[in-house]
Amino acid sequence: VDVLVNNAGILRDKSFGKMDMADFDLVVQVHLMGAAHCCKAVWPHMVAQKYGRIVMTTSSTGLYGNFGQANYGAAKLAQVGLMQTLAIEGAKHGIHANALAPTAATRMTEGLMPEEVLAALKPEAVVPAVLASEQAPSRTILCAGAGTYEAAHVTLTRGLHLGLTPDTPERLLAALSQVTDRTGETVPGSGAAQGDNEVRQALAARR
């Protein structure tokens, strides 16, 4: 097994207030757990052969949100988290993991868009963005639709050390624009980068 593309999906759209939790769980089971089970099945084979390409089908809903799709968005962003970790753990075995957020006319989108738009969103236009070749990078989130290709990034701002005092909540609120300032933001190599940044600033403040 050289390539796994996790593409199974269903929709159970409804605003969160009206959503049955059974429908929330069902969507998570198909999108997230379906991908996890498939990855688990191919993982030992890819490790043994020192090669593998795994692609998660995420969504702009998971990356940026969309009304009526809390279940779908949660499951799709969770796939990105799974991809990030599999890419880190698979690196020494030659296993690359990536994610693709496609915009395409499928059975799930029939009736949701005008015919002209559906015609432009041919599924074939998404295929070049399936990063599954030998030359594919790892830990890349591509977005694709109608022949346009973009990249999405999960970034970390430089942040601001405020320490911990009784008035830290108020000072944080007042300084939020500095904390969220994207100047100099980075794409961390792993989740440990957040803690490293926080501790580094804390120690520097003591000097």
Side-chain angles (χ1 to χ4, degrees), residues 138-168:
S138 197
R139 295 190 70 195
T140 299
I141 306 169
L142 285 188
C143 307
T148 298
Y149 306 94
E150 309 104 329
H153 301 281
V154 180
T155 65
L156 184 72
T157 68
R158 291 182 299 179
L160 178 68
H161 180 73
L162 295 172
L164 182 59
T165 59
D167 66 340
T168 297

Side-chain angles (χ1 to χ4, degrees), residues 41 50 53 62 86 108 126 155 168 206:
K50 296 294 181 183
R53 297 293 182 265
L86 292 184
M108 288 202 305
V126 169
T155 65
T168 297
R206 294 180 183 176

Side-chain angles (χ1 to χ4, degrees), residues 85 88 139 156 186-200:
T85 296
I88 292 171
R139 295 190 70 195
L156 184 72
T186 59
V187 178
S190 73
Q194 176 184 330
D196 291 344
N197 181 55
E198 294 159 352
V199 172
R200 184 176 64 252

Side-chain angles (χ1 to χ4, degrees), residues 110-126:
E110 284 178 6
L112 300 178
M113 304 174 184
E115 285 300 321
E116 182 182 18
V117 173
L118 292 173
L121 294 173
K122 294 179 180 179
E124 301 92 281
V126 169

Side-chain angles (χ1 to χ4, degrees), residues 4 6 34-44 46 54 56 82 86:
L4 167 65
N6 289 301
H37 283 297
C38 288
C39 288
K40 187 68 173 177
V42 304
W43 194 258
M46 290 182 172
I54 296 174
M56 305 290 183
L82 177 59
L86 292 184

Side-chain angles (χ1 to χ4, degrees), residues 55-74:
V55 180
M56 305 290 183
T57 306
T58 185
S59 170
S60 56
T61 296
L63 298 171
Y64 309 112
N66 200 28
F67 186 89
Q69 293 191 315
N71 48 4
Y72 182 74

